[in-house]
Amino acid sequence: MFLISFIIIYNIDLRAFDTPNDDGSSITLKWQSNEIFQTFEIFRSLDAEGIFEKISEVDGIETNFRDFNLNPKIDYFYRITGKKDSISTFSNIAGPVRPVVQYFNLSRLPMAICIIILFASVLTYISHARKGKKLFIRKIPALNAIEEAIGRATEMGKPVLYVPGIMDIDDPQTIASMSILARVAEKTAEYGTPLYVPTSRSMAMTMAQQVVKESATRVGRPDWYNPDNIRYITDDQFAYVSAVDGIMVRERPATNLYLGTFYAESLILAETGHSTGAVQIAGTAMPDQLPFFVAACDFTLLGEELYAASAYLSQEPIQLGSLRGQDLGKLIFITVIIVGVLSQIFNWQFFINLFNTIE
């Protein structure tokens, strides 16, 4: 039995070019043909008259291929062969082509423009805040309730409990919590109300002690500060929660503030505080824990409101400017998303092409 293979040469139009917006290590191949093939074999050579080495095989529906890990100092030649049963169809030889390093990815230019606008807005608002210009920040109900809750504790002659989360001071939520603690300490010192701050990290305790001490001094009540009320409990998650629950049951604080990073202990804390009849205000950027705080607390700072609260209370120009600039950036991104959806619906090609990869 003899197997006869027919080789018929047709014209497959092959084009090879440097891949745009890459690091100079790849070449892109594109081809067109009126014939239908089962597979395409891709060959590469360093010489148009030399031996072509097979480097890959792709499905017959493909019309492009990207060759990686190339040397940007060498010229390459390419050829493809379309296979259909025993019939082979050859393309023209494409080349020479050499990969070129692009130092700027132009396909990401729209994103670069958005980032520049965001940074410019942040710096502009920081500058305005430093010059004393009043920046509007919407009122957050939970923050307005903090002073009322402290006043309630003062009237009842009971302490305020402040829980700054269970993470260390390198956590952004803990840092934001310390800014809020400074404001809470000012009010409690001004009213002469005891303030308990149990911490689960030794460094957080040190920072909390310093923050509370400075706040007491700032309102002219340095004698009110008691370092024994700001305690390090333990790094263990549930041992810490047990100790805090014990403080709630024994001391019966009139106001409980949970502001920082929380995990599975959130509901344990909130339920125990609720059982003692305390006014509870919570805030965290942990999405999984927010439902528990919303259900068991009187007021809740949702997500990024925790960070906004620190800027709102401190009135620090850099924080205020950053907050306003980020709000403007979010507005821009939301607008782009909406326009992008409408562009797909109504086929606005200009906006669609603006975010397509440039070739």
Side-chain angles (χ1 to χ4, degrees):
M1 177 180 290
F2 297 95
L3 178 64
I4 301 176
S5 176
F6 296 95
I7 301 178
I8 304 175
I9 301 178
Y10 294 95
N11 184 28
I12 299 178
D13 184 21
L14 174 64
R15 185 166 62 98
F17 56 91
D18 170 53
T19 303
N21 305 314
D22 74 336
D23 59 354
S25 64
S26 69
I27 289 175
T28 299
L29 307 180
K30 288 193 174 183
W31 59 87
Q32 292 179 340
S33 176
N34 295 326
E35 299 293 323
I36 299 177
F37 299 98
Q38 295 171 335
T39 60
F40 287 104
E41 294 180 348
I42 300 171
F43 297 86
R44 182 181 64 201
S45 176
L46 301 180
D47 187 349
E49 303 296 331
I51 298 175
F52 281 80
E53 176 188 1
K54 180 179 176 180
I55 58 173
S56 184
E57 183 173 330
V58 297
D59 194 80
I61 63 173
E62 299 292 336
T63 59
N64 60 78
F65 175 78
R66 190 171 177 181
D67 189 14
F68 291 94
N69 301 320
L70 301 179
N71 189 332
K73 298 180 180 180
I74 297 177
D75 290 329
Y76 296 92
F77 296 86
Y78 291 90
R79 188 190 73 196
I80 65 173
T81 302
K83 294 285 188 176
K84 183 178 180 182
D85 297 329
S86 59
I87 300 176
S88 298
T89 302
F90 297 102
S91 73
N92 58 297
I93 296 177
V97 59
R98 175 180 297 186
V100 180
V101 177
Q102 281 86 33
Y103 294 100
F104 298 98
N105 189 344
L106 296 180
S107 67
R108 298 180 181 175
L109 182 61
M111 184 57 66
I113 294 174
C114 293
I115 293 174
I116 291 172
I117 294 174
L118 174 61
F119 273 93
S121 62
V122 169
L123 294 176
T124 300
Y125 281 118
I126 289 176
S127 176
H128 289 337
R130 283 179 169 172
K131 292 177 181 178
K133 185 177 179 179
K134 188 69 175 178
L135 298 180
F136 171 76
I137 298 178
R138 70 175 178 85
K139 291 185 177 180
I140 302 175
L143 292 182
N144 297 332
I146 289 179
E147 188 169 347
E148 296 176 7
I150 295 174
R152 177 178 181 269
T154 304
E155 292 173 356
M156 297 177 66
K158 293 185 176 182
V160 173
L161 175 66
Y162 190 100
V163 182
I166 64 170
M167 299 303 290
D168 217 331
I169 58 174
D170 59 346
D171 186 86
Q173 295 185 61
T174 304
I175 296 173
S177 179
M178 291 299 168
S179 298
I180 301 173
L181 175 61
R183 179 66 174 176
V184 171
E186 286 182 2
K187 285 299 177 184
T188 51
E190 186 179 341
Y191 297 157
T193 305
L195 174 65
Y196 294 118
V197 187
T199 66
S200 64
R201 296 290 189 273
S202 57
M203 290 300 295
M205 179 198 69
T206 303
M207 186 175 184
Q209 287 179 338
Q210 187 65 31
V211 166
V212 173
K213 183 178 180 180
E214 290 180 358
S215 298
T217 303
R218 197 156 43 239
V219 297
R221 293 293 305 276
D223 57 312
W224 167 88
Y225 169 68
N226 183 3
D228 293 335
N229 288 346
I230 305 171
R231 316 168 192 169
Y232 164 70
I233 306 296
T234 176
D235 284 24
D236 185 82
Q237 179 182 15
F238 292 105
Y240 170 72
V241 174
S242 298
V244 174
D245 285 348
I247 294 173
M248 292 182 191
V249 174
R250 290 190 303 272
E251 304 294 340
R252 313 292 289 188
T255 299
N256 296 333
L257 304 175
Y258 315 112
L259 299 164
T261 302
F262 295 91
Y263 292 93
E265 72 284 349
S266 60
L267 186 58
I268 301 174
L269 290 170
E271 280 296 318
T272 303
H274 179 73
S275 68
T276 63
V279 173
Q280 301 196 111
I281 301 173
T284 184
M286 305 302 292
D288 295 340
Q289 308 309 318
L290 282 174
F292 304 124
F293 280 143
V294 170
C297 296
D298 299 284
F299 297 92
T300 306
L301 294 169
L302 302 176
E304 63 182 6
E305 286 183 346
L306 177 66
Y307 303 111
S310 62
Y312 185 90
L313 294 175
S314 69
Q315 295 294 307
E316 206 280 325
I318 293 180
Q319 292 189 31
L320 287 174
S322 299
L323 182 62
R324 286 287 293 169
Q326 290 171 30
D327 285 345
L328 177 61
K330 293 169 192 172
L331 178 62
I332 293 173
F333 291 138
I334 291 172
T335 303
V336 169
I337 290 172
I338 293 174
V339 175
V341 172
L342 294 176
S343 298
Q344 291 292 338
I345 294 174
F346 297 105
N347 196 28
W348 297 342
Q349 286 299 321
F350 171 77
F351 195 85
I352 295 174
N353 294 335
L354 187 64
F355 287 90
N356 280 345
T357 301
I358 300 174
E359 294 187 356

